[in-house]
Amino acid sequence: MNKPKDHLSPLSSCCRLERVKLLEYEAKQLLADAGVLVPVSSLVQTSEALSLPLPVVLKSQVPIGGRGKLGGVQIIEQVAELADAVEALLVLDIKGYLPTVLLAEEKLLIQHEHYLALRIDRIEGVVQLMAHPKGGVEIETHTSGFFTRTFEPDQVEAIASQLALSWGYEETLPATLLQYLLTDLYDCFVANDATLLEINPLIYTTEGTFIAGDCKMELDDNAAFRHDWQFEAKSTETNFVTLDLAGTIATIANGAGLAMATVDAVADSGLVPANFLDIGGGSDIKSLLLAFERLMGFTHLQGIIINIVAGISRCDEIARAIIAAQAHIPTLPPLYIRLAGTNYEEAMELLTDAGIATLPTLEDCIIEAQEAHHL
Ligand code: GDP
Ligand code: MN
């Protein structure tokens, strides 16, 4: 077979492949734009904001799969469960990621759950279709039963009927149903310069429709110049990193450079840093409080080092968050705080009134933390 290989030849080391990983809700928006059915949904950041009738499925929007098994997907049947579930999901760490938002979706009536994916096969220079009759959270455990073939758009009719057979539909499915779905998926894949589009599960409802229950999508960053991509996925990926679950010192800093320097200084001193956290500029009290609560997931903490050089962010905001954390988190370990920059005086006043001490440099924070460790 002759295939156009030139522009998709195997990637050599000369070419850097960057992938833009989308969050589920971002990927589903692209699916919907392409005509693929997705559940009726709304984004949720507080429990008051739900505009959907119950029951709903609440899903943590982190850029990683396996959420179902880690408690990141919750079915809410009663109004009374909602507030607690939203609050719990917003601080639930999933493999080192925290969501900034949750996706609430209508709960679908499931007849079958399939696996369906399109991806670029770089060796052959083609788009490949991969499917399995049994999708869902156990997909990694399937070692056989995959249907794999090259996806040629002009063969979509034949591919659709092969797929229907491999999924066990025999003659029961309207012939065009899968055909339209595959065409829309392929168009979505190409139009967005995707390298991966995975739907797991693809839900066949009791009403006889296919709806994307979940979607994982990666786009080719090299094509960014021809799109207006404004996805949140990238920023969520870099601002928090779990370094050591048994770490004894947590860190909070602003700016990636300062956050890295803080982690390095902690490690160099012989203390064990638990995490990297860059709170960025302009963090509000609420997101700072969430950060503190997230750190409480580390069970061996003996201290938190806070190292802020405020520019866009403001020391008084940080101070207010620290005071709120002291008041609301009874298990908060000792804080070693170094603040500098915008609104420093106001912050000092607030902290002094609250009886919270600060230190002049990061080095002082580390020395105090070391001394406390040796007690
Ligand atoms: P993942 O674990 O990160 O891949 O998250 P998914 O979005 O795939 O959700 C995990 C599982 O939750 C799915 O495999 C489904 O079994 C279930 N699930 C997700 N959405 C719905 C829904 O709308 N209704 C029902 N009943 N189950 C759902
Ligand atoms: Mn999934």
Side-chain angles (χ1 to χ4, degrees):
M1 208 194 311
N2 285 325
K3 292 173 197 140
K5 285 196 176 187
D6 48 353
H7 66 294
L8 287 173
S9 58
L11 278 183
S12 57
S13 52
C14 70
C15 180
R16 202 167 58 106
L17 182 71
E18 293 280 339
R19 287 174 180 160
V20 182
K21 278 189 183 180
L22 303 195
L23 295 174
E24 177 188 13
Y25 80 88
E26 295 170 327
K28 280 180 165 168
Q29 186 58 55
L30 297 182
L31 286 183
D33 292 346
V36 178
L37 290 179
V38 299
V40 177
S41 70
S42 74
L43 290 174
V44 174
Q45 270 170 320
T46 65
S47 53
E48 299 103 60
L50 191 65
S51 57
L52 290 178
L54 296 177
V56 295
V57 184
L58 260 189
K59 308 173 87 175
S60 177
Q61 297 300 288
V62 286
I64 195 146
R67 296 164 301 167
K69 287 193 163 178
L70 295 169
V73 177
Q74 303 276 335
I75 294 178
I76 309 298
E77 308 271 0
Q78 311 284 340
V79 182
E81 302 162 19
L82 185 67
D84 285 352
V86 168
E87 215 167 283
L89 277 177
L90 282 171
V91 296
L92 177 71
D93 183 305
I94 299 180
K95 298 184 192 167
Y97 294 104
L98 257 199
T100 58
V101 72
L102 309 176
L103 181 65
E105 294 187 332
E106 62 173 320
K107 185 182 167 208
L108 299 170
L109 298 171
I110 299 175
Q111 205 176 139
H112 301 295
E113 290 187 70
H114 305 298
Y115 175 91
L116 183 62
L118 291 176
R119 60 182 203 93
I120 287 183
D121 176 344
R122 288 180 192 283
I123 309 297
E124 295 295 319
V126 295
V127 174
Q128 191 187 49
L129 174 97
M130 230 182 136
H132 196 284
K134 285 200 162 48
V137 295
E138 299 294 342
I139 192 72
E140 282 90 12
T141 63
H142 301 325
T143 52
S144 62
F146 282 96
F147 171 84
T148 307
R149 63 159 289 165
T150 302
F151 189 94
E152 305 97 342
D154 57 346
Q155 301 289 308
V156 67
E157 206 177 324
I159 298 171
S161 58
Q162 287 171 2
L163 187 59
L165 276 181
S166 89
W167 281 354
Y169 286 101
E170 311 286 337
E171 305 293 299
T172 55
L173 208 63
T176 51
L177 201 56
L178 270 180
Q179 204 176 307
Y180 289 159
L181 174 68
L182 289 174
T183 303
D184 291 342
L185 282 180
Y186 181 78
D187 290 346
C188 181
F189 187 90
V190 173
N192 291 292
D193 285 303
T195 52
L196 174 73
L197 199 182
E198 182 188 79
I199 299 183
N200 183 36
L202 175 67
I203 293 173
Y204 186 64
T205 65
T206 51
E207 288 161 345
T209 53
F210 284 110
I211 301 187
D214 185 15
C215 184
K216 178 175 166 189
M217 204 162 167
E218 293 178 6
L219 311 179
D220 183 349
D221 202 27
N222 293 309
F225 69 92
R226 56 184 177 213
H227 299 276
D228 177 29
W229 286 338
Q230 314 242 333
F231 300 114
E232 97 171 72
K234 273 191 166 170
S235 60
T236 53
E237 217 168 347
T238 48
N239 66 358
F240 189 103
V241 180
T242 295
L243 298 172
D244 190 339
L245 284 172
T248 53
I249 296 290
T251 66
I252 298 178
N254 68 317
L258 190 63
M260 270 189 268
T262 306
V263 167
D264 286 348
V266 171
D268 287 348
S269 76
L271 298 168
V272 185
N275 74 299
F276 163 98
L277 172 58
D278 163 19
I279 58 169
S283 318
D284 57 9
I285 294 178
K286 206 171 149 204
S287 61
L288 285 165
L289 256 181
L290 277 177
F292 276 107
E293 281 179 28
R294 173 175 214 188
L295 294 178
M296 293 303 99
F298 293 99
T299 51
H300 295 75
L301 284 194
Q302 296 186 31
I304 299 177
I305 290 181
I306 300 166
N307 188 19
I308 304 291
V309 180
I312 306 167
S313 47
R314 290 168 21 206
C315 287
D316 62 304
E317 284 265 315
I318 312 263
R320 281 178 229 277
I322 292 170
I323 292 164
Q326 285 274 27
H328 295 300
I329 306 174
T331 53
L332 200 69
L335 304 179
Y336 306 99
I337 306 166
R338 180 266 179 133
L339 291 180
T342 312
N343 289 8
Y344 170 79
E345 278 86 14
E346 198 179 336
M348 289 315 289
E349 224 167 274
L350 289 166
L351 289 173
T352 309
D353 284 352
I356 299 171
T358 60
L359 295 158
T361 66
L362 172 60
E363 207 185 340
D364 296 315
C365 293
I366 288 174
I367 290 168
E368 285 225 352
Q370 275 177 320
E371 281 170 3
H373 265 63
H374 293 147
L375 283 178

